């Protein structure tokens, strides 16, 4: 994790520093998972008090454009998830049952780690890979239905 403060990162991205922007960035920088807007909003409210869902959506959109955060929106998920953009060339494992998302490193050293067979004139900058499967908790719950496969964000 970078040692720069949230306000320094926001300024360096060419954005105005506001309390909601600082709160949202700190939530994502300290998150151990991939929170959705609901979780980000709740955590931001514990930091600064009142902040609307719309403000959080606006902050996340600005951060995405500025390459401060990364949106993960797996097919079939109820809500997009977000993470602090670490530029570390990683991919994601997604559980088909509980939708838990886990970071996994790319198997290649170069960015992008994969190249399409035909680029059609594109200068490829990034390859996103999503591995789908079932996490250990969900597999265990399937084998023993008395177990619950709940995930905390």
């Amino acid at each position: 994790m970078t040692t720069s403060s949230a306000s320094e990162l926001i300024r360096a991205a060419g954005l105005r520093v506001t309390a909601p922007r600082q709160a949202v960035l700190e939530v994502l920088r300290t998150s151990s998972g991939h929170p959705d807007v609901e979780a980000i909003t709740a955590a931001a409210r514990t930091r600064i008090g009142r902040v609307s869902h719309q403000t959080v959506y606006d902050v996340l959109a600005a951060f995405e454009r500025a390459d401060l955060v990364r949106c993960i929106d797996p097919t079939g998920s109820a809500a997009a998830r977000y993470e602090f953009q670490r530029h570390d060339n990683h991919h994601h494992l997604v559980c088909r049952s509980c939708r838990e998302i886990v970071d996994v490193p790319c198997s290649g050293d170069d960015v992008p780690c994969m190249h399409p067979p035909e680029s059609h004139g594109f200068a490829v900058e990034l390859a996103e890979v999503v591995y789908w499967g079932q996490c250990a908790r969900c597999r265990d719950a399937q084998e023993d239905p008395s177990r619950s496969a709940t995930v905390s964000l």
Side-chain angles (χ1 to χ4, degrees):
M1 185 179 298
T2 181
T3 57
S4 300
S5 71
S7 58
E8 290 171 328
L9 291 170
I10 293 165
R11 265 191 217 95
L15 299 172
R16 190 169 51 89
V17 176
T18 64
R21 285 179 175 172
Q22 287 178 292
V24 168
L25 194 59
E26 281 303 320
V27 166
L28 290 170
R29 287 176 74 185
T30 59
S31 175
S32 61
H34 300 83
D36 62 12
V37 171
E38 291 292 325
I40 295 167
T41 302
R45 285 178 178 158
T46 65
R47 292 172 182 267
I48 61 170
R50 293 181 60 176
V51 64
S52 71
H53 282 91
Q54 188 58 54
T55 297
V56 172
Y57 276 111
D58 293 345
V59 166
L60 290 168
F63 283 175
E64 263 193 282
R65 288 190 301 273
D67 204 27
L68 286 173
V69 302
R70 184 173 173 190
C71 177
I72 303 130
D73 196 7
T75 304
S77 290
R81 306 288 189 88
Y82 294 87
E83 67 184 353
F84 179 66
Q85 177 62 278
R86 290 176 177 84
H87 299 283
D88 62 354
N89 198 31
H90 72 271
H91 301 298
H92 297 98
L93 287 163
V94 180
C95 179
R96 288 191 182 279
S97 298
C98 68
R99 298 295 190 210
E100 178 181 14
I101 300 173
V102 178
D103 292 343
V104 291
C106 183
S107 59
D109 293 331
D110 297 329
V111 176
C113 61
M114 296 171 35
H115 297 276
E118 174 60 46
S119 68
H120 299 280
F122 281 72
V124 177
E125 300 166 349
L126 175 72
E128 288 190 20
V129 176
V130 177
Y131 300 98
W132 291 91
Q134 204 169 35
C135 70
R137 277 191 313 262
C138 289
R139 281 194 325 274
D140 290 347
Q142 195 172 30
E143 291 170 12
D144 180 1
S146 67
R147 291 180 155 174
S148 173
T150 58
V151 173
S152 62
L153 297 177

